[in-house]
Amino acid sequence: MQAARLLQKPLKWTCDRSEAFLSDTHGRDLKSTADMAFDPEGRILGYRIRTIANMGACLSNFGPAIATLAPLQVAPGPYHIPAFHQQVTGVYTNSAPVDAYRGAGRPEAAYLLERLIHQGAMDLGLSQDEIRRRNFVRADQMPYKNVTGAIYDSGDFTGNMHDAMARADWAGFATRRQQATEHGLLRGLGMAYYVECTLGDPMEEIDISFDPKAGRVSVSVGTQSNGQGHETAYAQVFADRLGIDPYQVDILQGDSAIKNTGGGTGGSRSLQMIGNACIAAGDSVIERGKEVMAHLYEASPDDIRFEDGFFELSGTNRRLGVFELADEAAKADLPQALARGLDLSASYTKSASTFPNGCHIAEVEIDPQTGVVAVKRYTVVDDFGTVINPMLVAGQVHGGVVQGIGQALGEDVIYDENAQLLSGSFMDYPMPKAGDMPVIDFSYNEIPCQTNPLGLKGCGEAGTIGACPSVMIAILDALAPKGVKALDMPATPFAIWSAINKAEAKAA
């Protein structure tokens, strides 16, 4: 930008992959020590976290908040935890700055919590599902205020877990483990339950502009889809409110020449904010339409009703569709208050965050001779409130799960003692590949959110939040017969092979 100003010419710069590895912000660089206390019945009494969080060589936009505030609301997860304490120390290093990466603080919180729950189950002699069942916040306790002050408005954690266990054939795992053992392999099953808190700017405003001649309406928004399919969902919501075809709706995203306000895309907020703003806009168009039609036919707005995309004057055959009325309004001499016809702006301000949640179950197989992990089965049952477009939601969950599996099994940024980046290419930084991923069995239960008109909960980051702990717990479950009790991410083949050999040497 500065060079363009100095030269008074437009400039283009394309970052290559090596430059991106060196200079793009990194994510999730922290080291935590945590303790959890249980009573003799396996119920949680208290939870304590001590974290050292790397900020990199300088502070990024959200780095400090992601290590502190972002995980705080969901640190207790789906469990009733009466006492909690968190201490975070940020440190400067010579690495690239650390900032938001899919989940931004919530995967870290879920990972630490679920690893402790799993450790508690092993120490207390409880199964993975039983220890969770004893500690879950119950559906009849909703709305529930957790120990850090977040209010879960709705949810059925136990129900989602039971559904996930059934879909994952939890009862048949012992047979599959025995079959793997007969082939010299280690098989493990891991469960994790997450609760996410959607974040971001609490207000969005959208602009509505009708082109009645073309039979189209433009909706200008301050967010930007980068592959999620937001434009499809926005059009669905707005069109449904007005009783028109979604293909008649043009979504104009993230163009500051058209729309100079907006909170952007992030924090699993986009549909929660823009979708509900579309509801508000649709309602405003309907109310404005009644006023316009009342003026055109010298009637009272109370005599105009709107149904199935048409405005009708009671007691007459006067009936106009939305685009017909917009056309009549454009040609009429309307009073100042109605001068824009059906064109208008509408906003939505959220009253509370939403709390998506769900149960992930991973099943892995490990070759003890090489340490190589294969994720054989993966099951997710989520609660995203009201689901607008199931296909888009499934895509978000699949992508998130793959990112979480990638972090659990291999992704790692490594510097040497001179701050030289050693993992600066895909030769050294193992991105997950399609052939390494299992078929993801995804389903959801619609438990409407109580704090927004659409009743939806964000879904964009949920897959990643549940994937890291479920995969790591499955790996630990597989390694338990070898005497391996602890292992940190990433669970690379070398790390697993080393852990097995160390445990065997200790036992000898």
Side-chain angles (χ1 to χ4, degrees):
M1 183 182 292
Q2 183 61 22
R5 286 172 176 165
L6 291 174
L7 296 174
Q8 293 296 299
K9 293 181 179 179
L11 297 177
K12 178 182 179 180
W13 173 69
T14 302
C15 174
D16 65 30
R17 186 165 290 153
S18 295
E19 290 171 322
F21 269 107
L22 285 166
S23 60
D24 284 0
T25 54
H26 295 169
R28 317 209 209 288
D29 191 0
L30 48 82
K31 181 174 287 187
S32 295
T33 302
D35 306 285
M36 183 169 283
F38 293 87
D39 70 14
E41 301 301 317
R43 292 183 175 82
I44 302 169
L45 297 175
Y47 181 25
R48 178 175 60 190
I49 304 172
R50 301 286 184 273
T51 294
I52 297 175
N54 178 32
M55 297 290 105
C58 57
L59 293 182
S60 61
N61 283 349
F62 301 110
I66 289 165
T68 54
L69 296 177
L72 184 63
Q73 284 191 303
V74 294
Y79 310 111
H80 173 68
I81 299 178
F84 173 76
H85 188 265
Q86 172 181 286
Q87 177 182 308
V88 180
T89 302
V91 296
Y92 287 114
T93 68
N94 289 327
S95 75
V98 174
D99 206 301
Y101 179 63
R102 199 171 194 170
R106 285 91 84 199
E108 296 90 316
Y111 177 78
L112 197 60
L113 176 64
E114 291 301 293
R115 285 291 303 270
L116 279 171
I117 291 291
H118 182 68
Q119 186 65 48
M122 291 191 295
D123 292 346
L124 293 165
L126 298 173
S127 65
Q128 295 186 47
D129 56 309
E130 181 58 29
I131 194 168
R132 288 174 171 83
R133 194 177 291 108
R134 294 185 186 190
N135 287 284
F136 275 150
V137 176
R138 301 187 312 274
D140 61 12
Q141 291 178 285
M142 300 294 177
Y144 173 83
K145 185 175 183 179
N146 74 15
V147 69
T148 64
I151 299 176
Y152 303 159
D153 63 276
S154 59
D156 182 1
F157 308 145
T158 303
N160 290 335
M161 182 184 73
H162 288 167
D163 289 349
M165 292 173 68
R167 295 183 70 94
D169 187 21
W170 188 274
F173 171 72
T175 300
R176 296 191 294 276
R177 169 174 269 178
Q178 180 58 38
Q179 292 169 346
T181 302
E182 292 170 0
H183 290 87
L185 301 172
L186 305 172
R187 191 110 175 178
L189 189 63
M191 174 188 289
Y193 205 105
Y194 77 93
V195 175
E196 182 191 357
C197 175
T198 57
L199 302 173
D201 194 304
M203 194 276 282
E204 283 290 344
E205 181 185 71
I206 63 176
D207 299 326
I208 309 301
S209 178
F210 283 86
D211 182 352
K213 298 298 184 185
R216 308 198 65 78
V217 56
S218 296
V219 180
S220 300
V221 305
T223 61
Q224 177 63 58
S225 173
N226 44 30
Q228 302 96 324
H230 293 160
E231 60 276 18
T232 300
Y234 298 164
Q236 281 183 258
V237 173
F238 186 70
D240 182 70
R241 203 64 166 181
L242 290 183
I244 59 177
D245 193 317
Y247 291 104
Q248 295 177 286
V249 181
D250 297 316
I251 304 296
L252 309 178
Q253 303 181 77
D255 187 343
S256 58
I258 300 172
K259 185 71 186 165
N260 60 8
T261 62
T265 301
S268 302
R269 71 183 290 274
S270 295
L271 186 56
Q272 176 196 355
M273 300 304 300
I274 299 297
N276 283 297
C278 284
I279 291 294
D283 290 343
S284 295
V285 167
I286 291 169
E287 292 307 308
R288 177 75 62 81
K290 290 179 179 180
E291 294 176 5
V292 169
M293 191 164 180
H295 177 81
L296 293 176
Y297 295 107
E298 298 180 349
S300 167
D302 293 337
D303 293 331
I304 310 296
R305 66 189 185 98
F306 179 82
E307 187 174 359
D308 297 330
F310 288 90
F311 293 89
E312 298 180 354
L313 176 59
S314 298
T316 73
N317 62 355
R318 305 286 187 181
R319 188 171 186 261
L320 296 175
V322 175
F323 291 101
E324 293 175 302
L325 183 58
D327 188 39
E328 292 295 326
K331 295 183 293 187
D333 182 17
L334 297 174
Q336 184 64 32
L338 304 177
R340 293 181 62 197
L342 301 190
D343 295 354
L344 50 82
S345 298
S347 65
Y348 171 74
T349 300
K350 69 176 184 179
S351 61
S353 294
T354 70
F355 294 93
N357 62 89
C359 185
H360 288 227
I361 297 176
E363 192 167 327
V364 304
E365 213 165 61
I366 300 174
D367 183 345
Q369 301 302 313
T370 62
V372 172
V373 178
V375 183
K376 307 300 287 186
R377 298 164 67 110
Y378 202 97
T379 305
V380 187
V381 175
D382 279 315
D383 164 16
F384 294 134
T386 302
V387 172
I388 304 299
N389 188 308
M391 185 177 294
L392 295 180
V393 170
Q396 288 291 287
V397 172
H398 289 176
V401 166
V402 170
Q403 284 183 275
I405 293 175
Q407 180 176 347
L409 296 185
E411 294 186 56
D412 198 11
V413 173
I414 301 173
Y415 292 88
D416 68 12
E417 63 274 11
N418 298 311
Q420 177 69 36
L421 182 66
L422 301 180
S423 54
S425 75
F426 286 141
M427 292 293 289
D428 309 294
Y429 187 91
M431 286 280 284
K433 300 177 179 65
D436 301 325
M437 294 299 110
V439 173
I440 299 169
D441 180 347
F442 164 66
S443 62
Y444 56 85
N445 292 319
E446 290 190 275
I447 304 174
C449 181
Q450 302 300 306
T451 59
N452 66 77
L454 279 174
L456 55 81
K457 306 170 186 178
C459 72
E461 296 160 289
T464 305
I465 300 172
C468 294
S470 63
V471 171
M472 287 302 297
I473 290 170
I475 290 171
L476 285 168
D477 186 56
L479 296 177
K482 293 290 187 180
V484 177
K485 296 183 178 180
L487 188 69
D488 292 326
M489 291 190 294
T492 62
F494 180 72
I496 292 174
W497 180 86
S498 299
I500 291 173
N501 282 273
K502 184 178 179 180
E504 289 179 340
K506 185 177 180 181

